[in-house]
Amino acid sequence: MLQVEAVNKSFGDFKAVDGANLAVEKGELVAVIGPNGAGKTTLFNLITGQLWPDSGKIIFRGEDISSLPPYEICKKGIARSFQIVNIFPRLTVFGNVQVAVLSQQRKSSLLFPPAQNLATEETRDILESVGLSHKATNIAGSLSHGDQKILEMAIALGNEPELLILDEPTAGMSPEETTATLELIKRLAGEWGLTILFCEHDMDVVFAVAQSIMVMHQGRTLIQGNLEEVRENREVQKAYFGGE
Ligand code: ADP
Ligand code: MG
């Protein structure tokens, strides 16, 4: 579904992403792990068009999307959440998701009072499946940090993506929230037939859910493989566990 091929991105002299490679198969739950500063967010920004690569290719369902703007990439079926929560804090929880559903349906210009009755069923379905129904009328900015991260996932679902990209979905969450969120991610992949790509700096989080793991270190791809392959890789052991 997605192939990242030898992608580079520098900021001045600094190579934030340095020849990274990544493959995501349809229906897979794929994780990118690496310490802070490894280049994970930059890589996701390149995939979703917030940044353009200096060189290399990003292919989505057979099409080169490397130089498309974010809204074009979103239309093609990639939606994302951000490491730093990105919601409309003054709208209700329901309103946040409704805006995404309506913009997917190209009715967002109708978002004034009469539009309140539009897309309500789709919006309710999404809130139901992420477990936020009971907070639908709450003001988004008043939610806990954990619930705001979940709301951001719900907004991304409103875009009806084929590929959902989550940047550190459990960042800042308590251990209980983290466990619940990982269960949610697994369930969403199944229920919505989604392909999910997410990144994390916590190994345990990744090992609990991902079918394929790409290890990023100083902008480079050390390896992509399953749990065993990643654990046994000597470069990963050196870079990540500080082992021999
Ligand atoms: P990660 O998400 O893995 O923590 P990032 O992709 O956010 O890593 O950052 C990788 C490196 O690139 C960091 O050293 C960061 O300081 C640098 N970086 C990221 N964005 C910019 C930018 N817009 N300008 C300059 N340096 C940046
Ligand atoms: Mg990051």
Side-chain angles (χ1 to χ4, degrees), residues 98 102 109-118:
Q98 188 184 32
L102 288 175
S109 59
L110 295 176
L111 198 69
F112 48 88
Q116 277 173 2
N117 298 324
L118 294 174

Side-chain angles (χ1 to χ4, degrees), residues 146-160:
D147 280 346
Q148 290 191 8
K149 299 278 289 184
I150 301 295
L151 174 58
E152 223 201 327
M153 280 169 50
I155 293 168
L157 287 175
N159 292 308
E160 292 180 25

Side-chain angles (χ1 to χ4, degrees), residues 38-197:
K40 305 180 297 295
T41 296
T42 306
L43 179 66
F44 284 7
N45 285 339
L46 292 166
I47 295 169
T48 55
Q50 271 81 25
L51 292 171
W52 289 348
D54 300 330
S55 62
K57 268 192 192 161
I58 299 166
I59 315 280
F60 179 60
R61 293 156 87 198
E63 190 184 344
D64 190 342
I65 58 163
S66 319
S67 54
L68 295 182
Y71 66 92
E72 291 286 352
I73 292 173
C74 185
K75 271 202 286 188
K76 295 198 182 291
I78 302 182
R80 75 174 287 183
S81 72
F82 291 84
Q83 185 171 351
I84 295 161
V85 170
N86 205 2
I87 56 174
F88 295 113
R90 287 162 185 262
L91 284 187
T92 60
V93 167
F94 190 89
N96 268 272
V97 178
Q98 188 184 32
V99 168
V101 174
L102 288 175
S103 77
Q104 167 65 19
Q105 297 176 353
R106 316 265 181 275
K107 289 176 190 157
S108 54
S109 59
L110 295 176
L111 198 69
F112 48 88
Q116 277 173 2
N117 298 324
L118 294 174
T120 51
E121 216 170 298
E122 293 92 327
T123 304
R124 267 194 222 114
D125 284 349
I126 292 170
L127 290 177
E128 180 76 44
S129 64
V130 302
L132 279 179
S133 297
H134 60 299
K135 294 179 182 163
T137 57
N138 292 21
I139 297 300
S142 71
L143 295 179
S144 69
H145 170 75
D147 280 346
Q148 290 191 8
K149 299 278 289 184
I150 301 295
L151 174 58
E152 223 201 327
M153 280 169 50
I155 293 168
L157 287 175
N159 292 308
E160 292 180 25
E162 304 249 347
L163 173 63
L164 178 63
I165 297 185
L166 306 170
D167 193 344
E168 299 211 16
T170 67
M173 286 187 176
S174 68
E176 294 74 25
E177 285 176 321
T178 298
T179 307
T181 302
L182 294 176
E183 284 306 315
L184 173 62
I185 290 172
K186 271 198 273 188
R187 190 162 52 73
L188 288 179
E191 271 176 19
W192 294 69
L194 281 171
T195 306
I196 299 182
L197 171 64

Side-chain angles (χ1 to χ4, degrees), residues 21-25 28-33 197-198 203 206-216 221-233 236:
N21 296 296
L22 173 70
V24 179
E25 305 288 340
E28 264 186 347
L29 239 164
V30 180
V32 175
I33 53 168
L197 171 64
F198 71 104
M203 274 252 175
V206 165
F207 285 174
V209 291
Q211 290 149 350
S212 174
I213 299 163
M214 188 272 249
V215 184
M216 210 171 173
T221 300
L222 286 188
I223 184 181
Q224 182 175 1
N226 64 28
L227 187 89
E228 299 307 315
E229 291 165 329
V230 167
R231 269 203 184 129
E232 285 163 14
N233 183 275
V236 174

